[in-house]
Amino acid sequence: MIDIALKNLFRNKTRNALTILGIAIGVALLLSLVSISEGMNKMISSFGEGMVGIITVLPEGKSLFTSTGGQLSRNFVDDMKNFEGVDYVIPYYGILLPDMTSYVMGVPVDKVGEMVGEKIKIKDGRMIDEGDKDERVAIIGSTYSNYKNTNTGDKINILGKDFEVIGKLEEGNSGAGDIMVPIDALQEISKTDKLTVIFVRVSDVERTEEIAEDIKSTLGVEAETSKDLVRKFSDMSSQIGFMAYVVGGISALIGGIGIANTMFMNVSERRREIGIMKAIGATKNMILKQFLQEAIILGLIGGITGIILSFFGIYVLSLMIPFVAMTLNLIFIGLLFSLGLSTIFSVYPAYAAAKVDAIVALKYE
């Protein structure tokens, strides 16, 4: 019966092609959003592991997601060193480039190993070291490298000044979308001595929250632990996940209506054919299966097409967002979504076809 179902689908190529396209677009949108959510979850896990025992100090009312430019005084660095339980303090200065696609982090050259090089590795070139204190050099993430087609040895423009790329991070790092440069060089071209964020490493991980509260109450700044940051990241990921479900629901409704409409039109156009089938012995169950098979094939083709489209969409997203990638899990979700959609929304049209009265149908012109 499958060969008959395939033959019937070619009767109205345009209508069925549009139905398949609707399913494919819904699947592609759903998988793209789910991939972002899954990518963020991986990034959160990696980020959380790397930030254990570190307190992120920001201007009051700011968060790590909204803080750019210089707003913290360098005096805070010396103040924080005097807190009991603080191992060392690392000042950072960061800016968002005018094209809004890249975040530049100014890092202290004498602490790159402790803060940056501990969890991430260089794929090409070398890491920034103490000899680069006043040099205009940069480390780029793999995401930035792919998106901008930039590699070690190239020049990148930051606020009108050229910086030489001396290293590229391995793929899969939480900071892979950023540019790292010596903090002094970035502050010089930004004409500021202020800081964006200060990272405080504590000597006893168990006292992280206690020390964070001391810093916050004493200096009047925001002091966030890794738990605070992971929670905020998780909230963002949950919102994206919710959006994926909303888009999935809307796609299901639109795609489902398209499938139901196509199947109802097929039933209407083939009433006489259904009557003939019943007249020569076809049962209601056989006709029901026939139309369900046609709908499932539509859903399968739409799902596969959507997965192919999502490969391209997710690839583009991966150039801008770390950890985003097509996985077997996403392929399974896409197929399950399309097959479930086509089955559910074709049950009633198929049932209507099975109930067609043979005598009435044979009179249908």
Side-chain angles (χ1 to χ4, degrees), residues 33-48:
L33 283 174
V34 172
S35 72
I36 294 175
S37 180
E38 288 189 351
M40 285 196 67
N41 287 333
K42 292 178 183 177
M43 185 173 69
I44 290 167
S45 177
S46 174
F47 181 80

Side-chain angles (χ1 to χ4, degrees), residues 305-340:
T305 305
I307 290 169
I308 293 172
L309 289 176
S310 66
F311 264 104
F312 292 102
I314 291 173
Y315 172 73
V316 173
L317 287 172
S318 70
L319 298 179
M320 299 177 283
I321 306 173
F323 296 103
V324 173
M326 176 61 84
T327 63
L328 288 175
N329 183 45
L330 290 178
I331 293 174
F332 176 75
I333 290 173
L335 288 175
L336 187 64
F337 176 79
S338 59
L339 290 175

Side-chain angles (χ1 to χ4, degrees), residues 22-314:
I23 297 171
I25 292 173
V27 169
L29 285 173
L30 176 65
L31 296 190
S32 296
L33 283 174
V34 172
S35 72
I36 294 175
S37 180
E38 288 189 351
M40 285 196 67
N41 287 333
K42 292 178 183 177
M43 185 173 69
I44 290 167
S45 177
S46 174
F47 181 80
E49 291 175 3
M51 294 294 285
V52 172
I54 295 174
I55 300 169
T56 304
V57 179
L58 299 147
E60 189 173 12
K62 293 287 185 178
S63 73
L64 193 59
F65 313 112
T66 60
S67 186
T68 60
Q71 300 179 51
L72 287 172
S73 170
R74 274 189 175 270
N75 294 332
F76 281 126
V77 175
D78 294 327
D79 292 338
M80 290 173 199
K81 289 178 181 178
N82 296 324
F83 279 85
E84 183 184 353
V86 170
D87 191 4
Y88 53 80
V89 179
I90 306 174
Y92 272 68
Y93 175 71
I95 59 170
L96 189 64
L97 291 183
D99 62 5
M100 304 295 285
T101 61
S102 306
Y103 187 79
V104 184
M105 298 186 296
V107 298
V109 294
D110 60 331
K111 292 294 184 183
V112 177
E114 286 88 343
M115 194 64 197
V116 179
E118 184 176 17
K119 292 294 181 183
I120 57 180
K121 298 179 181 179
I122 291 290
K123 180 179 180 181
D124 296 317
R126 64 177 179 85
M127 183 62 80
I128 294 172
D129 58 34
E130 294 188 39
D132 298 315
K133 186 175 186 299
D134 298 313
E135 300 297 323
R136 290 177 182 170
V137 294
I139 301 292
I140 59 174
S142 59
T143 301
Y144 178 89
S145 174
N146 294 332
Y147 184 60
K148 297 289 189 178
N149 193 27
T150 305
N151 293 291
T152 304
D154 293 341
K155 300 281 188 180
I156 58 175
N157 188 279
I158 301 175
L159 299 182
K161 304 295 183 181
D162 285 337
F163 281 68
E164 181 185 357
V165 178
I166 61 171
K168 182 169 74 172
L169 300 178
E170 286 187 352
E171 294 186 12
N173 292 305
S174 59
D178 300 322
I179 303 167
M180 292 187 294
V181 301
I183 187 171
D184 290 338
L186 185 59
Q187 287 183 318
E188 179 188 359
I189 64 174
S190 300
K191 296 180 173 57
T192 184
D193 62 353
K194 299 288 186 178
L195 302 172
T196 304
V197 59
I198 300 172
F199 291 108
V200 178
R201 169 78 76 174
V202 300
S203 53
D204 184 359
V205 174
E206 299 297 326
R207 295 189 59 207
T208 304
E209 293 187 17
E210 174 194 338
I211 296 171
E213 284 299 320
D214 287 344
I215 292 174
K216 185 175 182 178
S217 59
T218 303
L219 300 179
V221 294
E222 297 293 338
E224 299 179 334
T225 65
S226 59
K227 290 182 180 179
D228 297 326
L229 295 174
V230 167
R231 185 178 64 253
K232 290 182 178 181
F233 269 124
S234 297
D235 289 342
M236 289 178 60
S237 179
S238 297
Q239 291 174 8
I240 293 175
F242 176 74
M243 286 178 58
Y245 285 116
V246 171
V247 170
I250 295 173
S251 300
L253 182 61
I254 295 173
I257 291 173
I259 292 170
N261 180 64
T262 296
M263 297 309 297
F264 272 123
M265 292 184 71
N266 287 344
V267 171
S268 177
E269 292 173 356
R270 291 158 58 187
R271 287 178 67 86
R272 184 173 178 81
E273 177 187 321
I274 295 169
I276 294 172
M277 290 174 65
K278 284 194 169 185
I280 61 176
T283 64
K284 289 183 179 180
N285 192 42
M286 291 173 63
I287 294 172
L288 180 70
K289 286 182 178 179
Q290 179 70 51
F291 280 89
L292 282 177
Q293 283 179 351
E294 292 177 20
I296 290 171
I297 291 172
L298 278 177
L300 182 62
I301 296 173
I304 293 172
T305 305
I307 290 169
I308 293 172
L309 289 176
S310 66
F311 264 104
F312 292 102
I314 291 173

